[in-house]
Amino acid sequence: MRAVFLKEFQELRRDRRTLGMLIVMPLLLLVIFGYAANFTVDTFTLSIYGSAAEDVQSQIEDNDDLADHFDILTVDTDGTKTDAETELREDKADVAILADGDSVTVYIDGSNLFAAQGAQVLFAQVQQQLAQNPQAPAMEVEILFNPDLKTSWVMIPAIIGLILTFIGTIITSIGLVREREAGTMEQLAVMPLKAPAVILGKIMPYFLLASFDMVLIAGIGIWLFGVPFNGNPWIFVVGAALFLFAVLGIGVLISSVSQTSGQAIQLAMMTLLPQILLSGMIFPLDAMAPGVRWIGYLLPLTYFTMLSQGVMLRDAPWDSLWLPLTVLAIMAVVIFGLAVIRLHRSIAPAKQRSAEDAK
């Protein structure tokens, strides 16, 4: 038994990836859940419109309990209801207030679920306080884009991205590894194709399969859970294509540095887990510690979630989604470029051996 015990430890010491996973993964989970696992959002971005906008601003700033919860972005005395709705549709604020005379309407962005729930509770308390003062203006709270605050409406657009990430990262990552394990890398090397063409040929079936899954999941989500699709489908298609290229590139990168399918799956899981926990699809980014939040900003799923929720729930236009589209485009180019370079280096030794054998 002692010999088997020592042999197992020696094998673990040689398998650095498994050893790293055994040590790094628990630390990663501890940090993520310690700093990111928080559903409570207690600070909200706010824009105020209407003829009494400045009065509302003064009342909020003079009230210490309210001032700590709001970051006031805009105060516009000429603003209208359309301006307030546009502010939320373009995801510039969590809450917009329209104050005209004695009428105050609070609009809350329901697509940002946890912030909306927090804001709803806060304004319910404000309404109770105002009810005790007969001279106080009447306040009405209206939740836009997800009036019933359904979790499924927020989760389905994010789950579409998660499924694309799963296919793009895990399924694709074992593609080239299978070539290496089957001993067909030399055949791949002697093909009269350059590395970009080889990669495109390898990932195109996964791209088409993931696209089919995306349409299938979106259709079932809309039909089964009643999730709306209010926006421009072309924005969604362009964003999904850019996102797919990014996650497929990650899959190719992983496969190019892995020697076996097991190693590829381990690395894919290590990239998949942070995307699930830190992309904002489960825990709100605003509730995370700043350092952990910035890790989320480096992940492709974060931007696809912003884009899919914006298109499906808020009917967000092109100009309000330029940030996630631009970041996804940059990620697709950079990751795909790295995958090409890495694959070229991976194929080069096999190509050299094939050339030497041909002499």
Side-chain angles (χ1 to χ4, degrees), residues 63-128:
N63 187 323
D64 293 337
D65 292 336
L66 291 178
D68 292 339
H69 291 288
F70 292 109
D71 179 12
I72 299 177
L73 304 178
T74 305
V75 177
D76 184 357
T77 55
D78 296 326
T80 63
K81 177 183 178 182
T82 302
D83 295 321
E85 291 180 348
T86 301
E87 191 80 350
L88 300 189
R89 177 170 287 108
E90 296 182 354
D91 199 25
K92 294 178 180 176
D94 300 318
V95 180
I97 295 177
L98 178 64
D100 277 325
D102 294 335
S103 173
V104 177
T105 305
V106 178
Y107 298 100
I108 299 175
D109 177 10
S111 68
N112 191 352
L113 183 63
F114 297 107
Q117 290 174 336
Q120 188 183 33
V121 171
L122 184 61
F123 280 106
Q125 296 172 353
V126 174
Q127 280 180 308
Q128 288 179 352

Short mmCIF file of all heavy atoms in Angstrom, two decimals, residues 63-128:
data_model
loop_
_atom_site.label_atom_id
_atom_site.label_comp_id
_atom_site.label_asym_id
_atom_site.label_seq_id
_atom_site.Cartn_x
_atom_site.Cartn_y
_atom_site.Cartn_z
N ASN A 63 -30.94 64.14 2.35
CA ASN A 63 -31.31 62.98 3.15
C ASN A 63 -30.15 61.98 3.15
O ASN A 63 -29.84 61.37 2.13
CB ASN A 63 -32.58 62.33 2.54
CG ASN A 63 -33.13 61.22 3.42
OD1 ASN A 63 -32.37 60.47 4.02
ND2 ASN A 63 -34.45 61.12 3.48
N ASP A 64 -29.50 61.84 4.30
CA ASP A 64 -28.31 60.98 4.37
C ASP A 64 -28.64 59.54 4.01
O ASP A 64 -27.82 58.84 3.40
CB ASP A 64 -27.71 61.04 5.77
CG ASP A 64 -27.13 62.42 6.08
OD1 ASP A 64 -26.81 63.13 5.11
OD2 ASP A 64 -27.01 62.77 7.26
N ASP A 65 -29.83 59.07 4.39
CA ASP A 65 -30.20 57.67 4.10
C ASP A 65 -30.31 57.42 2.59
O ASP A 65 -29.96 56.35 2.10
CB ASP A 65 -31.53 57.33 4.78
CG ASP A 65 -31.38 57.32 6.30
OD1 ASP A 65 -30.24 57.12 6.77
OD2 ASP A 65 -32.39 57.53 7.00
N LEU A 66 -30.83 58.44 1.87
CA LEU A 66 -30.99 58.27 0.42
C LEU A 66 -29.71 58.61 -0.34
O LEU A 66 -29.37 57.94 -1.32
CB LEU A 66 -32.13 59.16 -0.09
CG LEU A 66 -33.55 58.77 0.33
CD1 LEU A 66 -34.55 59.78 -0.22
CD2 LEU A 66 -33.89 57.37 -0.15
N ALA A 67 -29.00 59.62 0.12
CA ALA A 67 -27.80 60.07 -0.60
C ALA A 67 -26.75 58.97 -0.72
O ALA A 67 -26.02 58.90 -1.72
CB ALA A 67 -27.20 61.29 0.10
N ASP A 68 -26.69 58.11 0.28
CA ASP A 68 -25.70 57.03 0.23
C ASP A 68 -26.03 55.97 -0.80
O ASP A 68 -25.17 55.17 -1.17
CB ASP A 68 -25.61 56.36 1.62
CG ASP A 68 -25.00 57.30 2.65
OD1 ASP A 68 -24.32 58.25 2.23
OD2 ASP A 68 -25.23 57.09 3.85
N HIS A 69 -27.29 55.94 -1.25
CA HIS A 69 -27.72 54.88 -2.17
C HIS A 69 -27.72 55.32 -3.65
O HIS A 69 -27.91 54.48 -4.53
CB HIS A 69 -29.13 54.41 -1.80
CG HIS A 69 -29.20 53.67 -0.51
ND1 HIS A 69 -28.70 52.38 -0.36
CD2 HIS A 69 -29.68 54.02 0.71
CE1 HIS A 69 -28.89 51.98 0.89
NE2 HIS A 69 -29.48 52.96 1.56
N PHE A 70 -27.55 56.62 -3.90
CA PHE A 70 -27.70 57.09 -5.28
C PHE A 70 -26.46 57.83 -5.77
O PHE A 70 -25.89 58.64 -5.06
CB PHE A 70 -28.92 58.02 -5.40
CG PHE A 70 -30.23 57.31 -5.21
CD1 PHE A 70 -30.99 57.52 -4.07
CD2 PHE A 70 -30.69 56.42 -6.16
CE1 PHE A 70 -32.19 56.86 -3.88
CE2 PHE A 70 -31.89 55.75 -5.98
CZ PHE A 70 -32.63 55.97 -4.84
N ASP A 71 -26.11 57.53 -7.01
CA ASP A 71 -25.09 58.27 -7.73
C ASP A 71 -25.82 59.03 -8.84
O ASP A 71 -26.18 58.45 -9.86
CB ASP A 71 -24.06 57.30 -8.30
CG ASP A 71 -22.97 58.01 -9.08
OD1 ASP A 71 -22.89 59.25 -8.99
OD2 ASP A 71 -22.22 57.32 -9.81
N ILE A 72 -26.07 60.32 -8.61
CA ILE A 72 -26.88 61.11 -9.55
C ILE A 72 -26.05 61.46 -10.78
O ILE A 72 -25.02 62.11 -10.68
CB ILE A 72 -27.42 62.38 -8.87
CG1 ILE A 72 -28.31 62.00 -7.67
CG2 ILE A 72 -28.19 63.23 -9.86
CD1 ILE A 72 -28.83 63.19 -6.88
N LEU A 73 -26.53 61.04 -11.96
CA LEU A 73 -25.81 61.26 -13.21
C LEU A 73 -26.30 62.49 -13.94
O LEU A 73 -25.52 63.25 -14.49
CB LEU A 73 -25.98 60.03 -14.12
CG LEU A 73 -25.56 58.67 -13.56
CD1 LEU A 73 -25.85 57.58 -14.57
CD2 LEU A 73 -24.08 58.67 -13.19
N THR A 74 -27.62 62.66 -14.00
CA THR A 74 -28.21 63.72 -14.83
C THR A 74 -29.34 64.39 -14.07
O THR A 74 -30.16 63.73 -13.42
CB THR A 74 -28.78 63.14 -16.14
OG1 THR A 74 -27.76 62.41 -16.81
CG2 THR A 74 -29.30 64.23 -17.05
N VAL A 75 -29.39 65.74 -14.15
CA VAL A 75 -30.52 66.52 -13.63
C VAL A 75 -30.94 67.46 -14.75
O VAL A 75 -30.20 68.38 -15.11
CB VAL A 75 -30.15 67.30 -12.36
CG1 VAL A 75 -31.34 68.15 -11.90
CG2 VAL A 75 -29.68 66.37 -11.26
N ASP A 76 -32.11 67.22 -15.35
CA ASP A 76 -32.55 67.98 -16.51
C ASP A 76 -33.99 68.47 -16.27
O ASP A 76 -34.93 67.67 -16.28
CB ASP A 76 -32.49 67.08 -17.76
CG ASP A 76 -32.84 67.84 -19.03
OD1 ASP A 76 -33.19 69.04 -18.94
OD2 ASP A 76 -32.78 67.23 -20.11
N THR A 77 -34.14 69.77 -16.08
CA THR A 77 -35.47 70.33 -15.79
C THR A 77 -36.36 70.35 -17.03
O THR A 77 -37.57 70.54 -16.92
CB THR A 77 -35.35 71.76 -15.23
OG1 THR A 77 -34.58 72.54 -16.14
CG2 THR A 77 -34.68 71.74 -13.87
N ASP A 78 -35.77 70.19 -18.22
CA ASP A 78 -36.56 70.15 -19.45
C ASP A 78 -36.83 68.71 -19.92
O ASP A 78 -37.44 68.50 -20.97
CB ASP A 78 -35.83 70.91 -20.57
CG ASP A 78 -35.68 72.38 -20.25
OD1 ASP A 78 -36.61 72.94 -19.62
OD2 ASP A 78 -34.64 72.97 -20.60
N GLY A 79 -36.34 67.73 -19.17
CA GLY A 79 -36.48 66.34 -19.59
C GLY A 79 -37.91 65.85 -19.51
O GLY A 79 -38.73 66.35 -18.73
N THR A 80 -38.22 64.84 -20.31
CA THR A 80 -39.57 64.29 -20.39
C THR A 80 -39.56 62.79 -20.03
O THR A 80 -38.50 62.22 -19.75
CB THR A 80 -40.13 64.45 -21.81
OG1 THR A 80 -39.30 63.68 -22.71
CG2 THR A 80 -40.11 65.91 -22.24
N LYS A 81 -40.73 62.20 -20.11
CA LYS A 81 -40.85 60.76 -19.86
C LYS A 81 -40.02 59.96 -20.86
O LYS A 81 -39.39 58.96 -20.52
CB LYS A 81 -42.33 60.35 -19.94
CG LYS A 81 -42.55 58.86 -19.75
CD LYS A 81 -44.03 58.50 -19.91
CE LYS A 81 -44.23 56.98 -19.77
NZ LYS A 81 -45.65 56.61 -19.97
N THR A 82 -40.00 60.45 -22.12
CA THR A 82 -39.21 59.76 -23.14
C THR A 82 -37.73 59.76 -22.78
O THR A 82 -37.03 58.76 -22.96
CB THR A 82 -39.42 60.45 -24.50
OG1 THR A 82 -40.82 60.43 -24.82
CG2 THR A 82 -38.65 59.74 -25.60
N ASP A 83 -37.26 60.89 -22.26
CA ASP A 83 -35.84 60.96 -21.85
C ASP A 83 -35.55 59.97 -20.72
O ASP A 83 -34.50 59.32 -20.71
CB ASP A 83 -35.50 62.37 -21.38
CG ASP A 83 -35.60 63.39 -22.50
OD1 ASP A 83 -35.20 63.04 -23.63
OD2 ASP A 83 -36.11 64.48 -22.26
N ALA A 84 -36.48 59.85 -19.79
CA ALA A 84 -36.28 58.93 -18.67
C ALA A 84 -36.24 57.48 -19.16
O ALA A 84 -35.36 56.69 -18.76
CB ALA A 84 -37.40 59.11 -17.65
N GLU A 85 -37.16 57.12 -20.07
CA GLU A 85 -37.18 55.76 -20.59
C GLU A 85 -35.94 55.47 -21.44
O GLU A 85 -35.38 54.36 -21.38
CB GLU A 85 -38.45 55.54 -21.41
CG GLU A 85 -39.73 55.54 -20.58
CD GLU A 85 -40.97 55.33 -21.40
OE1 GLU A 85 -40.88 55.43 -22.65
OE2 GLU A 85 -42.04 55.10 -20.83
N THR A 86 -35.51 56.46 -22.22
CA THR A 86 -34.32 56.28 -23.06
C THR A 86 -33.08 56.06 -22.19
O THR A 86 -32.20 55.25 -22.52
CB THR A 86 -34.12 57.51 -23.96
OG1 THR A 86 -35.28 57.67 -24.77
CG2 THR A 86 -32.89 57.33 -24.85
N GLU A 87 -33.00 56.77 -21.08
CA GLU A 87 -31.86 56.62 -20.17
C GLU A 87 -31.73 55.18 -19.68
O GLU A 87 -30.64 54.63 -19.61
CB GLU A 87 -32.03 57.56 -18.98
CG GLU A 87 -30.79 57.71 -18.11
CD GLU A 87 -29.77 58.67 -18.69
OE1 GLU A 87 -29.93 59.08 -19.85
OE2 GLU A 87 -28.80 59.00 -17.98
N LEU A 88 -32.89 54.58 -19.37
CA LEU A 88 -32.87 53.19 -18.91
C LEU A 88 -32.65 52.23 -20.08
O LEU A 88 -31.93 51.24 -19.94
CB LEU A 88 -34.18 52.85 -18.19
CG LEU A 88 -34.53 53.67 -16.95
CD1 LEU A 88 -35.72 53.06 -16.24
CD2 LEU A 88 -33.36 53.78 -15.99
N ARG A 89 -33.28 52.51 -21.22
CA ARG A 89 -33.14 51.61 -22.38
C ARG A 89 -31.69 51.50 -22.82
O ARG A 89 -31.23 50.44 -23.22
CB ARG A 89 -34.02 52.11 -23.53
CG ARG A 89 -33.88 51.27 -24.80
CD ARG A 89 -34.92 51.62 -25.85
NE ARG A 89 -36.24 51.13 -25.47
CZ ARG A 89 -37.22 51.90 -25.07
NH1 ARG A 89 -37.06 53.21 -25.02
NH2 ARG A 89 -38.39 51.38 -24.72
N GLU A 90 -30.96 52.61 -22.74
CA GLU A 90 -29.55 52.61 -23.16
C GLU A 90 -28.61 52.23 -22.01
O GLU A 90 -27.40 52.36 -22.14
CB GLU A 90 -29.19 53.99 -23.72
CG GLU A 90 -29.98 54.32 -24.99
CD GLU A 90 -29.60 55.65 -25.59
OE1 GLU A 90 -28.80 56.38 -24.95
OE2 GLU A 90 -30.10 55.96 -26.68
N ASP A 91 -29.19 51.79 -20.89
CA ASP A 91 -28.42 51.28 -19.75
C ASP A 91 -27.45 52.32 -19.20
O ASP A 91 -26.35 51.98 -18.76
CB ASP A 91 -27.66 50.01 -20.16
CG ASP A 91 -27.23 49.19 -18.94
OD1 ASP A 91 -27.88 49.32 -17.89
OD2 ASP A 91 -26.25 48.44 -19.05
N LYS A 92 -27.88 53.58 -19.22
CA LYS A 92 -27.03 54.63 -18.65
C LYS A 92 -27.30 54.82 -17.17
O LYS A 92 -26.47 55.41 -16.47
CB LYS A 92 -27.26 55.95 -19.41
CG LYS A 92 -26.80 55.90 -20.86
CD LYS A 92 -27.09 57.21 -21.56
CE LYS A 92 -26.61 57.16 -23.02
NZ LYS A 92 -26.97 58.39 -23.76
N ALA A 93 -28.47 54.38 -16.70
CA ALA A 93 -28.83 54.53 -15.28
C ALA A 93 -29.69 53.35 -14.86
O ALA A 93 -30.34 52.71 -15.69
CB ALA A 93 -29.57 55.84 -15.06
N ASP A 94 -29.68 53.08 -13.55
CA ASP A 94 -30.55 52.02 -13.01
C ASP A 94 -31.96 52.55 -12.76
O ASP A 94 -32.94 51.81 -12.86
CB ASP A 94 -29.97 51.50 -11.69
CG ASP A 94 -28.58 50.91 -11.86
OD1 ASP A 94 -28.38 50.20 -12.86
OD2 ASP A 94 -27.72 51.16 -11.01
N VAL A 95 -32.03 53.82 -12.38
CA VAL A 95 -33.31 54.42 -12.01
C VAL A 95 -33.41 55.80 -12.66
O VAL A 95 -32.41 56.53 -12.75
CB VAL A 95 -33.42 54.57 -10.47
CG1 VAL A 95 -34.75 55.21 -10.09
CG2 VAL A 95 -33.26 53.23 -9.78
N ALA A 96 -34.61 56.16 -13.13
CA ALA A 96 -34.86 57.50 -13.66
C ALA A 96 -36.12 58.04 -12.99
O ALA A 96 -37.12 57.32 -12.88
CB ALA A 96 -35.01 57.47 -15.17
N ILE A 97 -36.06 59.30 -12.55
CA ILE A 97 -37.21 59.93 -11.90
C ILE A 97 -37.72 61.06 -12.78
O ILE A 97 -36.94 61.89 -13.26
CB ILE A 97 -36.81 60.48 -10.51
CG1 ILE A 97 -36.43 59.33 -9.57
CG2 ILE A 97 -37.96 61.29 -9.90
CD1 ILE A 97 -35.96 59.79 -8.19
N LEU A 98 -39.04 61.08 -12.98
CA LEU A 98 -39.69 62.19 -13.71
C LEU A 98 -40.52 62.96 -12.68
O LEU A 98 -41.49 62.42 -12.13
CB LEU A 98 -40.58 61.64 -14.82
CG LEU A 98 -41.36 62.69 -15.62
CD1 LEU A 98 -40.40 63.62 -16.36
CD2 LEU A 98 -42.33 62.04 -16.58
N ALA A 99 -40.12 64.19 -12.40
CA ALA A 99 -40.78 65.01 -11.38
C ALA A 99 -41.35 66.26 -12.04
O ALA A 99 -40.61 67.17 -12.41
CB ALA A 99 -39.80 65.39 -10.28
N ASP A 100 -42.66 66.27 -12.20
CA ASP A 100 -43.36 67.43 -12.78
C ASP A 100 -44.41 67.90 -11.78
O ASP A 100 -45.42 67.22 -11.57
CB ASP A 100 -44.03 67.05 -14.11
CG ASP A 100 -43.06 67.11 -15.27
OD1 ASP A 100 -42.18 67.99 -15.25
OD2 ASP A 100 -43.18 66.27 -16.18
N GLY A 101 -44.17 69.05 -11.19
CA GLY A 101 -45.13 69.58 -10.22
C GLY A 101 -45.28 68.67 -9.02
O GLY A 101 -44.31 68.31 -8.36
N ASP A 102 -46.51 68.28 -8.75
CA ASP A 102 -46.79 67.43 -7.59
C ASP A 102 -46.74 65.95 -7.93
O ASP A 102 -47.04 65.11 -7.08
CB ASP A 102 -48.17 67.77 -7.02
CG ASP A 102 -48.20 69.18 -6.45
OD1 ASP A 102 -47.12 69.68 -6.07
OD2 ASP A 102 -49.29 69.79 -6.41
N SER A 103 -46.40 65.63 -9.15
CA SER A 103 -46.37 64.23 -9.58
C SER A 103 -44.92 63.75 -9.73
O SER A 103 -44.11 64.39 -10.40
CB SER A 103 -47.11 64.09 -10.93
OG SER A 103 -46.95 62.79 -11.42
N VAL A 104 -44.61 62.65 -9.08
CA VAL A 104 -43.26 62.06 -9.17
C VAL A 104 -43.41 60.61 -9.58
O VAL A 104 -44.09 59.83 -8.91
CB VAL A 104 -42.51 62.15 -7.82
CG1 VAL A 104 -41.16 61.45 -7.93
CG2 VAL A 104 -42.34 63.60 -7.41
N THR A 105 -42.79 60.26 -10.72
CA THR A 105 -42.81 58.87 -11.19
C THR A 105 -41.39 58.34 -11.21
O THR A 105 -40.49 58.97 -11.76
CB THR A 105 -43.42 58.77 -12.60
OG1 THR A 105 -44.72 59.38 -12.60
CG2 THR A 105 -43.54 57.32 -13.03
N VAL A 106 -41.21 57.18 -10.60
CA VAL A 106 -39.90 56.53 -10.53
C VAL A 106 -39.90 55.37 -11.51
O VAL A 106 -40.73 54.45 -11.40
CB VAL A 106 -39.61 56.03 -9.11
CG1 VAL A 106 -38.26 55.32 -9.08
CG2 VAL A 106 -39.62 57.18 -8.12
N TYR A 107 -39.00 55.41 -12.48
CA TYR A 107 -38.85 54.32 -13.45
C TYR A 107 -37.62 53.50 -13.07
O TYR A 107 -36.54 54.05 -12.87
CB TYR A 107 -38.70 54.87 -14.87
CG TYR A 107 -39.89 55.65 -15.34
CD1 TYR A 107 -39.89 57.05 -15.31
CD2 TYR A 107 -41.04 55.01 -15.81
CE1 TYR A 107 -40.99 57.78 -15.75
CE2 TYR A 107 -42.14 55.74 -16.25
CZ TYR A 107 -42.10 57.12 -16.21
OH TYR A 107 -43.20 57.84 -16.62
N ILE A 108 -37.81 52.18 -12.98
CA ILE A 108 -36.73 51.27 -12.60
C ILE A 108 -36.47 50.30 -13.74
O ILE A 108 -37.41 49.76 -14.34
CB ILE A 108 -37.10 50.50 -11.31
CG1 ILE A 108 -37.33 51.47 -10.15
CG2 ILE A 108 -36.00 49.50 -10.95
CD1 ILE A 108 -37.82 50.80 -8.88
N ASP A 109 -35.19 50.07 -14.04
CA ASP A 109 -34.81 49.13 -15.11
C ASP A 109 -34.93 47.69 -14.59
O ASP A 109 -34.09 47.23 -13.83
CB ASP A 109 -33.37 49.44 -15.55
CG ASP A 109 -32.88 48.47 -16.61
OD1 ASP A 109 -33.72 47.69 -17.14
OD2 ASP A 109 -31.68 48.49 -16.92
N GLY A 110 -35.98 46.98 -15.03
CA GLY A 110 -36.21 45.61 -14.57
C GLY A 110 -35.27 44.59 -15.18
O GLY A 110 -35.19 43.45 -14.69
N SER A 111 -34.54 44.95 -16.25
CA SER A 111 -33.61 44.00 -16.86
C SER A 111 -32.37 43.81 -15.98
O SER A 111 -31.64 42.83 -16.14
CB SER A 111 -33.19 44.45 -18.26
OG SER A 111 -32.41 45.62 -18.19
N ASN A 112 -32.11 44.77 -15.11
CA ASN A 112 -31.02 44.64 -14.13
C ASN A 112 -31.67 44.16 -12.84
O ASN A 112 -31.98 44.94 -11.93
CB ASN A 112 -30.33 45.99 -13.94
CG ASN A 112 -29.04 45.87 -13.16
OD1 ASN A 112 -28.74 44.80 -12.62
ND2 ASN A 112 -28.29 46.94 -13.09
N LEU A 113 -31.87 42.84 -12.72
CA LEU A 113 -32.80 42.26 -11.76
C LEU A 113 -32.50 42.63 -10.31
O LEU A 113 -33.38 43.13 -9.59
CB LEU A 113 -32.81 40.73 -11.91
CG LEU A 113 -33.80 39.98 -11.01
CD1 LEU A 113 -35.22 40.37 -11.35
CD2 LEU A 113 -33.61 38.47 -11.15
N PHE A 114 -31.28 42.40 -9.86
CA PHE A 114 -30.98 42.61 -8.45
C PHE A 114 -30.97 44.09 -8.09
O PHE A 114 -31.40 44.47 -6.99
CB PHE A 114 -29.65 41.95 -8.10
CG PHE A 114 -29.68 40.45 -8.29
CD1 PHE A 114 -29.02 39.86 -9.35
CD2 PHE A 114 -30.41 39.66 -7.43
CE1 PHE A 114 -29.07 38.49 -9.53
CE2 PHE A 114 -30.46 38.29 -7.61
CZ PHE A 114 -29.80 37.70 -8.67
N ALA A 115 -30.49 44.94 -9.00
CA ALA A 115 -30.57 46.38 -8.75
C ALA A 115 -32.02 46.83 -8.70
O ALA A 115 -32.40 47.67 -7.87
CB ALA A 115 -29.80 47.14 -9.84
N ALA A 116 -32.85 46.26 -9.59
CA ALA A 116 -34.27 46.63 -9.60
C ALA A 116 -34.96 46.20 -8.31
O ALA A 116 -35.78 46.96 -7.75
CB ALA A 116 -34.95 45.98 -10.81
N GLN A 117 -34.64 45.01 -7.83
CA GLN A 117 -35.25 44.56 -6.58
C GLN A 117 -34.83 45.46 -5.41
O GLN A 117 -35.65 45.82 -4.56
CB GLN A 117 -34.86 43.11 -6.31
CG GLN A 117 -35.52 42.12 -7.27
CD GLN A 117 -35.01 40.70 -7.09
OE1 GLN A 117 -33.90 40.49 -6.60
NE2 GLN A 117 -35.80 39.73 -7.50
N GLY A 118 -33.55 45.83 -5.36
CA GLY A 118 -33.06 46.71 -4.31
C GLY A 118 -33.71 48.09 -4.38
O GLY A 118 -34.13 48.65 -3.36
N ALA A 119 -33.82 48.63 -5.60
CA ALA A 119 -34.43 49.95 -5.77
C ALA A 119 -35.91 49.91 -5.42
O ALA A 119 -36.45 50.87 -4.84
CB ALA A 119 -34.22 50.43 -7.21
N GLN A 120 -36.58 48.82 -5.78
CA GLN A 120 -38.01 48.69 -5.47
C GLN A 120 -38.24 48.72 -3.96
O GLN A 120 -39.16 49.41 -3.48
CB GLN A 120 -38.55 47.39 -6.07
CG GLN A 120 -40.06 47.26 -5.98
CD GLN A 120 -40.54 45.92 -6.51
OE1 GLN A 120 -39.84 44.90 -6.37
NE2 GLN A 120 -41.70 45.91 -7.13
N VAL A 121 -37.42 48.01 -3.21
CA VAL A 121 -37.55 48.00 -1.75
C VAL A 121 -37.29 49.40 -1.18
O VAL A 121 -38.02 49.89 -0.30
CB VAL A 121 -36.58 46.97 -1.13
CG1 VAL A 121 -36.55 47.11 0.38
CG2 VAL A 121 -36.98 45.57 -1.54
N LEU A 122 -36.25 50.07 -1.72
CA LEU A 122 -35.88 51.39 -1.21
C LEU A 122 -37.00 52.40 -1.44
O LEU A 122 -37.38 53.16 -0.54
CB LEU A 122 -34.59 51.84 -1.89
CG LEU A 122 -34.01 53.17 -1.41
CD1 LEU A 122 -33.65 53.10 0.07
CD2 LEU A 122 -32.78 53.53 -2.22
N PHE A 123 -37.57 52.40 -2.65
CA PHE A 123 -38.62 53.38 -2.95
C PHE A 123 -39.94 53.03 -2.26
O PHE A 123 -40.77 53.92 -2.03
CB PHE A 123 -38.81 53.51 -4.46
CG PHE A 123 -37.78 54.39 -5.09
CD1 PHE A 123 -36.75 53.85 -5.84
CD2 PHE A 123 -37.81 55.76 -4.91
CE1 PHE A 123 -35.78 54.65 -6.41
CE2 PHE A 123 -36.85 56.58 -5.47
CZ PHE A 123 -35.82 56.02 -6.23
N ALA A 124 -40.14 51.75 -1.94
CA ALA A 124 -41.32 51.39 -1.13
C ALA A 124 -41.22 52.03 0.25
O ALA A 124 -42.22 52.52 0.80
CB ALA A 124 -41.44 49.88 -1.02
N GLN A 125 -40.01 52.06 0.82
CA GLN A 125 -39.82 52.72 2.11
C GLN A 125 -40.04 54.24 1.99
O GLN A 125 -40.64 54.85 2.87
CB GLN A 125 -38.41 52.43 2.63
CG GLN A 125 -38.16 50.96 2.92
CD GLN A 125 -36.69 50.66 3.24
OE1 GLN A 125 -35.83 51.53 3.13
NE2 GLN A 125 -36.43 49.43 3.63
N VAL A 126 -39.56 54.81 0.88
CA VAL A 126 -39.77 56.26 0.67
C VAL A 126 -41.26 56.57 0.54
O VAL A 126 -41.75 57.57 1.09
CB VAL A 126 -39.01 56.71 -0.60
CG1 VAL A 126 -39.34 58.17 -0.92
CG2 VAL A 126 -37.52 56.54 -0.42
N GLN A 127 -41.99 55.70 -0.16
CA GLN A 127 -43.44 55.92 -0.31
C GLN A 127 -44.13 55.89 1.05
O GLN A 127 -45.05 56.69 1.31
CB GLN A 127 -44.03 54.85 -1.23
CG GLN A 127 -43.81 55.13 -2.72
CD GLN A 127 -44.41 54.06 -3.59
OE1 GLN A 127 -44.16 52.88 -3.39
NE2 GLN A 127 -45.19 54.47 -4.57
N GLN A 128 -43.71 54.99 1.93
CA GLN A 128 -44.30 54.92 3.26
C GLN A 128 -44.04 56.20 4.05
O GLN A 128 -44.91 56.71 4.76
CB GLN A 128 -43.74 53.71 4.02
CG GLN A 128 -44.25 52.37 3.50
CD GLN A 128 -43.65 51.20 4.27
OE1 GLN A 128 -42.74 51.38 5.09
NE2 GLN A 128 -44.16 50.01 4.02
#
